[in-house]
């Protein structure tokens, strides 16, 4: 898709703004840390979905905001305000309540929970590394998507060998199914679009803003999943989802107020201004 759109750049509008893509090993190495995190995110997301329902998926990987706080402290030595920590406490409470309710319904998978937590960590790291790596590709989301996916294809190959996936593929009975490949192609197009839009959002705003839209997406996804699969959920199950969503919105609101205060206060040190804006 990246190469096809790049070839269209020579055709004029509407593709005139797309850069010509060529593989630069030096740039590819610089993007490699992001690609490693990207692989972890894709793999853990899929494994989480394999073991939990789509409706619970939001709660299962709801700790992204909490990991943002932890990583900011561990990697950047940034402290977090009390109100933001309280919002994280609400998210964690919603997560545990959701786990409890899934257990009460007999649909709890600790394997799915583990991969959900791992996915939350990788999503947080992905947003941070995307912001960090963008200058390497001159701020071009097309180039970042191109290099990231090239690296991911290369990195996935030894993982597939190590985990015996080629043997699984050899015995897979749908390799010749047009409907299977049709769904895989459609999923690839959606994945490409999500990656591009995510990169654009992080480029022009921040990882924090990306979390806001992610929370809204999770809300819509949960409701649609319950309707589509005709599931009946308990009051406490919905309460856990509301706690996760409410805590995420509260955290974003608190951080937004803090960032606005820093921008409006001329006496704030530049280091504090940068820390709050990350």
């Amino acid at each position: 898709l990246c190469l096809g759109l790049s070839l269209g750049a020579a055709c004029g509008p509407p593709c005139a703004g797309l850069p010509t893509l060529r593989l630069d090993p030096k740039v590819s190495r610089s993007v490699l840390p992001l690609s490693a995190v990207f692989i972890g995110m894709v793999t853990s997301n899929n494994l989480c979905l394999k073991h939990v329902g789509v409706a619970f998926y939001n709660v299962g990987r709801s700790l992204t905001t909490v990991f943002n706080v932890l990583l900011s402290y561990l990697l950047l030595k940034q402290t977090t305000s009390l109100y933001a920590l309280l919002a994280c406490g609400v998210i964690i409470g919603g997560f545990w309540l959701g786990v409890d309710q899934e257990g009460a319904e007999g649909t709890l998978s600790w394997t799915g929970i583990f991969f959900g937590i791992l996915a939350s960590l990788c999503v947080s790291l992905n947003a941070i590394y995307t912001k960090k790596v963008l200058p390497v590709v001159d701020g071009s989301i097309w180039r970042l998507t191109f290099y990231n996916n090239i690296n991911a294809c290369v990195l996935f190959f030894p993982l597939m060998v190590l985990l015996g996936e080629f043997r699984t593929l050899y015995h897979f009975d749908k390799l010749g199914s047009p409907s299977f490949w049709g769904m895989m192609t459609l999923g690839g197009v959606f994945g490409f679009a999500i990656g591009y839009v995510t990169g654009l959002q992080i480029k022009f705003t921040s990882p924090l803003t990306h979390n806001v839209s992610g929370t809204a997406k999770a809300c819509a996804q949960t409701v649609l999943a319950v309707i589509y699969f005709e599931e009946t959920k308990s009051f406490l199950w919905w309460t856990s989802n509301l706690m996760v969503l409410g805590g995420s919105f509260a955290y974003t609101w608190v951080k937004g107020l803090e960032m606005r205060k820093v921008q409006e206060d001329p006496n704030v040190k530049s280091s504090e201004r940068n820390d709050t804006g990350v």
Side-chain angles (χ1 to χ4, degrees):
L1 286 169
C2 285
L3 289 173
L5 291 170
S6 176
L7 291 173
C11 301
C15 300
L18 302 180
T20 302
L21 298 176
R22 61 181 183 84
L23 188 61
D24 185 338
K26 183 178 179 181
V27 175
S28 183
R29 286 194 299 269
S30 299
V31 178
L32 195 59
L34 172 64
S35 302
V37 172
F38 175 74
I39 281 181
M41 182 180 70
V42 171
T43 305
S44 53
N45 270 330
N46 286 342
L47 288 173
C48 178
L49 272 173
K50 177 181 178 180
H51 295 283
V52 303
V54 178
F56 183 68
Y57 177 67
N58 168 44
V59 175
R61 51 178 297 279
S62 61
L63 300 181
T64 301
T65 301
V66 178
F67 279 117
N68 280 345
V69 173
L70 288 175
L71 291 173
S72 295
Y73 179 75
L74 293 175
L75 302 180
L76 305 175
K77 303 304 179 184
Q78 297 174 6
T79 56
T80 305
S81 67
L82 176 61
Y83 290 115
L85 290 176
L86 288 175
C88 289
V90 173
I91 296 172
I92 295 173
F95 171 79
W96 281 114
L97 180 59
V99 170
D100 177 73
Q101 290 304 297
E102 283 291 303
E105 294 183 2
T107 55
L108 178 64
S109 168
W110 284 108
T111 303
I113 296 298
F114 169 77
F115 284 117
I117 295 173
L118 185 61
S120 299
L121 173 61
C122 291
V123 169
S124 178
L125 285 171
N126 184 72
I128 293 172
Y129 275 102
T130 297
K131 196 76 171 180
K132 184 177 181 180
V133 171
L134 270 170
V136 176
V137 292
D138 301 322
S140 171
I141 299 300
W142 290 112
R143 294 186 67 202
L144 181 63
T145 303
F146 173 71
Y147 279 105
N148 194 29
N149 281 279
I150 289 290
N151 286 345
C153 287
V154 175
L155 291 173
F156 262 126
F157 188 83
L159 286 176
M160 292 176 70
V161 174
L162 182 65
L163 298 175
E165 289 295 318
F166 285 105
R167 190 183 306 110
T168 303
L169 284 173
Y170 180 78
H171 295 288
F172 188 54
D173 60 353
K174 292 185 174 60
L175 278 181
S177 170
S179 61
F180 170 76
W181 285 107
M183 291 300 294
M184 290 295 292
T185 302
L186 184 62
V189 171
F190 279 128
F192 175 82
I194 290 172
Y196 177 69
V197 172
T198 296
L200 272 182
Q201 188 178 51
I202 295 172
K203 174 184 177 180
F204 289 109
T205 57
S206 68
L208 178 62
T209 305
H210 175 58
N211 287 340
V212 179
S213 64
T215 302
K217 181 269 299 178
C219 179
Q221 175 180 285
T222 301
V223 174
L224 287 173
V226 171
I227 295 173
Y228 181 81
F229 292 107
E230 299 179 349
E231 298 175 340
T232 301
K233 299 296 184 180
S234 66
F235 173 77
L236 287 178
W237 188 92
W238 283 109
T239 301
S240 70
N241 277 268
L242 290 175
M243 288 177 66
V244 167
L245 294 170
S248 299
F249 276 121
Y251 175 84
T252 304
W253 181 66
V254 169
K255 295 298 289 185
L257 289 178
E258 292 175 356
M259 291 171 66
R260 189 181 309 164
K261 182 179 179 181
V262 169
Q263 292 170 355
E264 292 176 352
D265 190 350
N267 298 319
V268 176
K269 297 179 181 179
S270 60
S271 60
E272 294 177 352
R273 184 185 302 274
N274 291 335
D275 285 351
T276 310
V278 168

